[in-house]
Amino acid sequence: MKNFTFLMLGFGLLMYSFTIHQPENFLKQTELTSTKDSNQTIFWNELQKLKGKAFEGTIIAGPKNDTAFTGKKLVMHVRKSTPNKIYIPFFVGNDSSRTWVLTKDAAGVLLKHDHRHKDGSPDKVTMYGGKTSNTGSKNRQLFPADQETTNLLPTAIGNIWWIDLVPGEYFTYNLRRVNSDLLFSIKFDLKKEIPTPGKPWGFKD
């Protein structure tokens, strides 16, 4: 009987310890998950609200001798979105080869650059980018270069892309390469919607 009493007492202490400590750990895990879900979900939902809209951008940082973007009309068009995917064609003058493709899943948000030729076929350098590695914020998500990008473009191993989105104000697309002078940034004015452009090369609605 005495052994049984000690056994029940030990079991009771074990359950008490579990009751006291488990909720704290659970709340910490829930808080981290909720922060990630909240930040990325808010960012994602605000981006989806731009579906069907187009905006003109200006270069706010870039190489001094740039000829690919400088002096050309820069337009982003949030052309298509689904619950887990957003397509944003990026037009540079008459060049309709670029589409930013964002995909959201439980692990975060993936940014890829889809490059096409006029006939719609993929460029040999395409689908590079990266996936968020942390919670980010409701206004900023960062995308360090992934393994596919490193395999495709070894010099891009230090690339970090990020998108800033301040609803009703601006959207910026940014690229920085670690241990280099490379910094590229385009700012789109969300207060001034413009007519939507045509289809990007190879895009299917």
Side-chain angles (χ1 to χ4, degrees), residues 19-201:
T19 302
I20 292 298
H21 295 291
Q22 179 65 16
E24 181 180 356
N25 293 333
F26 177 76
L27 287 173
K28 286 182 179 179
Q29 293 174 1
T30 302
E31 182 179 354
L32 290 174
T33 302
S34 298
T35 299
K36 181 174 182 178
D37 289 346
S38 177
N39 285 340
Q40 292 187 340
T41 298
I42 291 173
F43 177 90
W44 188 261
N45 289 344
E46 290 297 335
L47 188 54
Q48 284 201 321
K49 290 178 183 178
L50 300 179
K51 179 182 177 181
K53 299 180 180 181
F55 307 93
E56 188 169 351
T58 56
I59 298 174
I60 57 176
K64 293 180 180 179
N65 299 322
D66 170 68
T67 57
F69 301 94
T70 302
K72 298 177 182 177
K73 186 174 183 178
L74 308 175
V75 175
M76 63 169 278
H77 177 203
V78 186
R79 185 178 182 91
K80 181 180 179 181
S81 71
T82 68
N84 298 310
K85 221 171 190 70
I86 299 175
Y87 298 85
I88 307 177
F90 172 48
F91 300 87
V92 181
N94 295 321
D95 187 336
S96 305
S97 65
R98 303 170 176 85
T99 299
W100 302 324
V101 183
L102 293 106
T103 305
K104 186 177 185 297
D105 60 22
V109 180
L110 175 69
L111 168 67
K112 287 291 183 176
H113 299 76
D114 187 348
H115 287 253
R116 302 285 179 139
H117 296 291
K118 285 186 177 181
D119 62 3
S121 61
D123 191 273
K124 65 179 181 179
V125 179
T126 188
M127 300 312 290
Y128 57 88
K131 190 164 190 174
T132 54
S133 60
N134 56 45
T135 61
S137 76
K138 64 182 181 180
N139 298 123
R140 173 175 289 179
Q141 294 292 318
L142 297 93
F143 312 92
D146 59 15
Q147 189 60 50
E148 181 179 11
T149 299
T150 301
N151 294 341
L152 182 66
L153 300 166
T155 57
I157 188 174
N159 279 18
I160 300 176
W161 292 270
W162 71 96
I163 292 174
D164 288 338
L165 173 58
V166 178
E169 295 293 330
Y170 61 83
F171 171 108
T172 67
Y173 166 91
N174 314 272
L175 167 62
R176 163 77 77 177
R177 180 169 294 168
V178 176
N179 294 328
S180 82
D181 295 328
L182 178 60
L183 172 61
F184 182 68
S185 183
I186 303 175
K187 186 175 184 179
F188 298 86
D189 187 354
L190 300 183
K191 297 187 296 294
K192 298 179 181 179
E193 188 176 348
I194 64 172
T196 56
K199 283 186 179 181
W201 298 341

